[in-house]
């Protein structure tokens, strides 16, 4: 199953689908595009505020290990969109199952919290 087919099967909101599609291509600019300028990315408890900090996270922790998230479930929970699935890449324990919690504002990602 391709990422596009998987996105359709779990019916992701557009900014999340755009992020996942760009991640599948390891496209940093595409991954950043759905985020608000002042967005916050919380990666296993570490906070990255603003697009510049999020870009550095992608450059140092996603791209080098080719980490690609493949969502297989989505649900709404307390105003957040919760997406779960495995991430594959060149890192210990791959694939690891992640939970992504998105807060969307005006059609963009305001916060994203990832946990293993």
């Amino acid at each position: 199953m391709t990422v596009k087919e998987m996105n359709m099967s779990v019916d992701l909101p557009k900014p999340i689908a755009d992020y996942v599609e760009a991640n599948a291509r390891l496209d940093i600019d595409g991954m950043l595009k759905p985020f608000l300028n002042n967005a916050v990315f919380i990666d296993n408890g570490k906070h990255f505020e603003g697009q510049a900090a999020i870009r550095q996270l992608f450059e140092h922790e996603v791209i080098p290990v080719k980490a690609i998230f493949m969502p297989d479930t989505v649900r709404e929970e307390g105003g957040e969109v919760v997406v779960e699935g495995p991430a594959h890449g060149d890192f210990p324990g791959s694939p690891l199952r992640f939970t992504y919690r998105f807060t969307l504002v005006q059609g963009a990602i305001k916060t994203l919290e990832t946990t293993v």
Side-chain angles (χ1 to χ4, degrees), residues 22-40:
N23 173 238
R25 298 186 309 270
L26 296 172
D27 171 4
I28 291 176
D29 290 332
M31 290 166 65
L32 281 170
K33 191 172 182 179
F35 285 87
L36 293 173
N37 288 334
N38 63 346
V40 176

Side-chain angles (χ1 to χ4, degrees), residues 8-111:
M8 290 169 48
S9 70
V10 294
D11 196 23
L12 298 171
K14 182 168 176 24
I16 298 172
D18 290 349
Y19 169 78
V20 170
E21 287 290 330
N23 173 238
R25 298 186 309 270
L26 296 172
D27 171 4
I28 291 176
D29 290 332
M31 290 166 65
L32 281 170
K33 191 172 182 179
F35 285 87
L36 293 173
N37 288 334
N38 63 346
V40 176
F41 193 124
I42 305 164
D43 181 35
N44 286 306
K46 293 184 274 182
H47 288 244
F48 300 86
E49 297 186 30
Q51 282 202 2
I54 296 169
R55 175 181 289 279
Q56 286 185 338
L57 169 67
F58 293 159
E59 288 173 346
H60 295 119
E61 306 215 11
V62 175
I63 303 303
V65 298
K66 299 178 182 79
I68 297 176
F69 177 60
M70 299 289 290
D72 57 20
T73 65
V74 62
R75 68 184 181 278
E76 269 195 54
E77 189 175 280
E80 296 177 322
V81 179
V82 180
V83 183
E84 297 175 322
H88 302 267
D90 298 333
F91 52 86
S94 175
L96 292 174
R97 188 159 183 84
F98 278 84
T99 299
Y100 282 37
R101 294 182 170 276
F102 292 88
T103 302
L104 302 178
V105 175
Q106 299 174 340
I109 300 168
K110 172 67 176 163
T111 60

